[in-house]
Amino acid sequence: MATGPTQSKAQNIAKEVRRRIVEGEWRQGVRIPDEADLAVEFDAARSTVNKALQLLADDGLLDRRRRAGTRVAVDPVRKATFTISIVREQVEHAGLAYSHRVVAQRESPVPDDIATRIGLAKGEVMVHMRAVHYADGRPFQLEDRWINPRAAPGLAGVDFRQLNANEWLVRNAPYLHAELAFSAENADSRDARLLETRPGQALLILYRTTWNDLGPITTVRVAFQPGHIVGTEGNFWPGQYTGG
Amino acid sequence: MATGPTQSKAQNIAKEVRRRIVEGEWRQGVRIPDEADLAVEFDAARSTVNKALQLLADDGLLDRRRRAGTRVAVDPVRKATFTISIVREQVEHAGLAYSHRVVAQRESPVPDDIATRIGLAKGEVMVHMRAVHYADGRPFQLEDRWINPRAAPGLAGVDFRQLNANEWLVRNAPYLHAELAFSAENADSRDARLLETRPGQALLILYRTTWNDLGPITTVRVAFQPGHIVGTEGNFWPGQYTGG
DNA sequence: TCGGGATATATGTATAGACATAGAGAAGCA
DNA sequence: TGCTTCTCTATGTCTATACATATATCCCGA
């Protein structure tokens, strides 16, 4: 194969197979040689070829089925991964000074719509808090969070006025499953006041809910500052990303 | 291990290790037994344990280094994967009738900001098109796309008034690398007109650029209908997702 | 005390061999 | 022709073994 020594043998095989697909040598829908044949061609063990092809299948580039063989996916359903880091790191990574302010924290029965969405009985008591995160003193993001004390043991004594809820949860309540969703909303008057912008301003909203085996841990609505962009290659501050 | 027969042995081991981390048995930062020990405990070969632990490391739950061993990540930088399918499938998957309309298609020198972002020489000629996708006759999303004919051979004769650009590209120009980014923008008058909403309405915007080894293939700005939500577990129509 | 080099160790990766299993396709039967 | 059953094949997975490689740690000498 004409491929340079990227890394492991399996990765080189994957890279070469990917090249053949991208350059049209192996077209969408056609069956490619089976693992045994490729093993001979690349002078590798079948398990190595298997590893390479599984990488591409996870990527959505190949469809593999027992007995039917491996074929190039017709509709490559591709996946994009976003890495979610904690707020403070995002801010500091941009070379800015981080601070945050808790606007409210109290125990309260969970609203019906949220209870339904995260699969909790209506009216259960959760900890509700709102906080603003600042970068160099300017509002960066606004979080509106509900925490389930039953799934986050040790929560009782914690005062998030002192500690960052985000980091406390990350460190003390690892999760098994998470769901994210993006949407856009016009800022209401509270959003506008806390983010120091005008009502009606379009805001990127991120909903995130995490679960462990005790149930939902926390669900949060994050509103980013106007112009903020969340991308697979990282986050962009207003003006950094020139969108078409 | 008390784990039910999820799937493979490696996955069961991964599941059990994950459980121990989530339940606090193995706390953040501490070193866990090495592969050989775990192999004994789980009665498996070391390579099977290795596979399991690599799964968790890819997930960001473990930090692994040669000679230093494996430890539970202190700041679990977690990844969220979004699966991006073609528009028509999204619409039809929701049980709605799909249609689309091309608003404009012409060749034009690429604007400087876009050229810079995707790494193309300024002033190169690209194909520019705008289209609206409808679900049951109502505007669902609006795309503003630039296509690089030099990276998409066979593009010349294609008339996207007939064919869906999205699908043509998916089928005919597989890519090696893709970047996605989400943002929110207030609808300008053109957005509003084409999406049949009011100017100023907050819109979820998705930027996507794809490359192959010939260079950037296409870059597109997708504006979703108001209220649309893109999530790890799929897409939600207005009103379906009850965000907090 | 402080480097610098040797050593041991945990992970990274490849291998051949084996058996399991889904499922396409053939064979048999109504 | 339509249905069931059988067979065989390509992938799925695990195993033992081997060697590579990064690097923490120890030891030693200046």
Side-chain angles (χ1 to χ4, degrees):
Chain A
M1 75 187 117
T3 310
T6 318
Q7 288 205 29
S8 67
K9 197 164 183 176
Q11 282 182 347
N12 279 332
I13 294 173
K15 191 175 174 183
E16 168 64 10
V17 170
R18 170 173 256 135
R19 189 195 63 75
R20 291 185 189 175
I21 294 168
V22 169
E23 297 192 359
E25 201 165 324
W26 288 341
R27 310 196 72 86
Q28 328 273 95
V30 310
R31 179 154 168 206
I32 74 172
D34 65 32
E35 296 183 347
D37 291 346
L38 290 175
V40 172
E41 183 193 336
F42 292 119
D43 186 33
R46 184 173 78 87
S47 44
T48 306
V49 173
N50 180 277
K51 195 174 186 177
L53 297 186
Q54 291 208 359
L55 279 174
L56 297 177
D58 288 344
D59 239 60
L61 212 62
L62 294 177
D63 279 336
R64 292 163 64 71
R65 269 159 54 226
R66 278 174 154 133
R67 163 75 216 224
T70 300
R71 41 188 74 234
V72 181
V74 268
D75 293 320
V77 177
R78 302 292 291 266
K79 301 184 180 99
T81 45
F82 290 79
T83 61
I84 309 294
S85 53
I86 55 186
V87 202
R88 186 175 52 71
E89 281 179 0
Q90 282 178 51
V91 172
E92 292 176 349
H93 186 262
L96 304 175
Y98 171 77
S99 61
H100 85 292
R101 183 167 71 92
V102 175
V103 177
Q105 178 184 350
R106 67 167 199 282
E107 299 200 352
S108 157
V110 64
D112 285 359
D113 56 346
I114 296 183
T116 306
R117 177 158 58 87
I118 66 178
L120 216 57
K122 292 186 179 183
E124 286 218 54
V125 172
M126 295 180 85
V127 176
H128 182 205
M129 60 162 296
R130 249 193 295 274
V132 188
H133 302 268
Y134 298 88
D136 269 1
R138 298 182 45 181
F140 169 64
Q141 72 176 41
L142 163 63
E143 69 173 84
D144 185 316
R145 184 185 292 275
W146 293 84
I147 309 172
N148 179 8
R150 280 164 298 281
L155 181 73
V158 180
D159 180 4
F160 291 121
R161 257 158 278 247
Q162 304 289 328
L163 211 78
N164 186 324
N166 200 318
E167 299 191 32
W168 187 88
L169 285 164
V170 163
R171 297 232 164 77
N172 297 286
Y175 53 88
L176 280 173
H177 177 68
E179 282 179 23
L180 299 198
F182 285 104
S183 99
E185 296 177 13
N186 291 102
D188 64 20
S189 59
R190 182 165 59 203
D191 292 333
R193 177 166 41 83
L194 294 172
L195 285 174
E196 296 172 17
T197 183
R198 60 174 179 79
Q201 169 67 50
L203 300 176
L204 179 62
I205 307 290
L206 169 63
Y207 292 104
R208 174 172 45 201
T209 306
T210 57
W211 285 265
N212 63 20
D213 48 7
L214 298 173
I217 307 172
T218 183
T219 183
V220 60
R221 169 192 186 266
V222 173
F224 290 94
Q225 69 180 145
H228 187 82
I229 293 181
V230 176
T232 49
E233 309 298 309
N235 289 269
F236 298 88
W237 256 247
Q240 281 189 353
Y241 191 91
T242 56
Chain B
M1 75 187 114
T3 311
T6 317
Q7 290 207 26
S8 68
K9 199 164 182 175
Q11 282 183 347
N12 278 332
I13 295 173
K15 190 175 173 183
E16 168 64 11
V17 170
R18 170 175 256 135
R19 190 195 63 75
R20 291 184 189 175
I21 293 168
V22 170
E23 297 192 359
E25 201 166 322
W26 289 339
R27 309 197 72 86
Q28 327 273 90
V30 309
R31 180 156 167 206
I32 75 172
D34 64 34
E35 296 183 348
D37 290 346
L38 291 174
V40 172
E41 183 193 336
F42 292 120
D43 188 32
R46 184 172 78 84
S47 44
T48 306
V49 174
N50 180 278
K51 194 174 186 178
L53 297 186
Q54 291 208 1
L55 279 175
L56 297 177
D58 288 344
D59 237 60
L61 213 63
L62 294 176
D63 279 336
R64 292 163 65 70
R65 270 160 55 226
R66 279 173 155 134
R67 163 75 218 227
T70 300
R71 41 189 74 236
V72 181
V74 269
D75 292 320
V77 177
R78 300 292 292 267
K79 302 184 181 96
T81 56
F82 289 80
T83 61
I84 309 294
S85 52
I86 55 185
V87 203
R88 186 176 51 73
E89 282 180 0
Q90 281 178 52
V91 172
E92 291 177 350
H93 186 263
L96 304 174
Y98 170 77
S99 61
H100 79 117
R101 184 167 68 94
V102 174
V103 176
Q105 179 184 351
R106 66 168 201 281
E107 298 200 352
S108 156
V110 65
D112 287 359
D113 56 346
I114 296 183
T116 306
R117 178 157 58 87
I118 66 178
L120 215 57
K122 293 186 179 182
E124 286 218 54
V125 172
M126 295 181 83
V127 176
H128 183 205
M129 60 162 295
R130 249 193 295 275
V132 188
H133 302 268
Y134 298 87
D136 269 0
R138 298 182 44 182
F140 168 63
Q141 73 177 40
L142 165 63
E143 70 174 84
D144 186 316
R145 184 185 291 275
W146 292 84
I147 308 173
N148 179 7
R150 281 164 297 283
L155 180 72
V158 180
D159 180 5
F160 292 122
R161 259 159 277 246
Q162 304 290 330
L163 212 79
N164 186 323
N166 201 319
E167 297 189 32
W168 186 88
L169 285 163
V170 163
R171 296 234 164 77
N172 297 286
Y175 53 87
L176 280 172
H177 177 67
E179 282 180 23
L180 299 197
F182 285 105
S183 112
E185 295 177 13
N186 291 101
D188 64 21
S189 58
R190 181 165 58 202
D191 293 331
R193 176 167 38 85
L194 294 172
L195 283 174
E196 296 172 19
T197 183
R198 60 175 180 79
Q201 169 68 49
L203 300 176
L204 179 61
I205 307 290
L206 169 63
Y207 292 104
R208 175 171 43 200
T209 306
T210 56
W211 285 265
N212 62 18
D213 49 6
L214 298 174
I217 306 171
T218 182
T219 183
V220 60
R221 169 194 186 265
V222 173
F224 290 94
Q225 70 179 145
H228 187 82
I229 294 182
V230 176
T232 49
E233 309 299 310
N235 290 269
F236 299 89
W237 257 245
Q240 281 190 352
Y241 190 91
T242 55

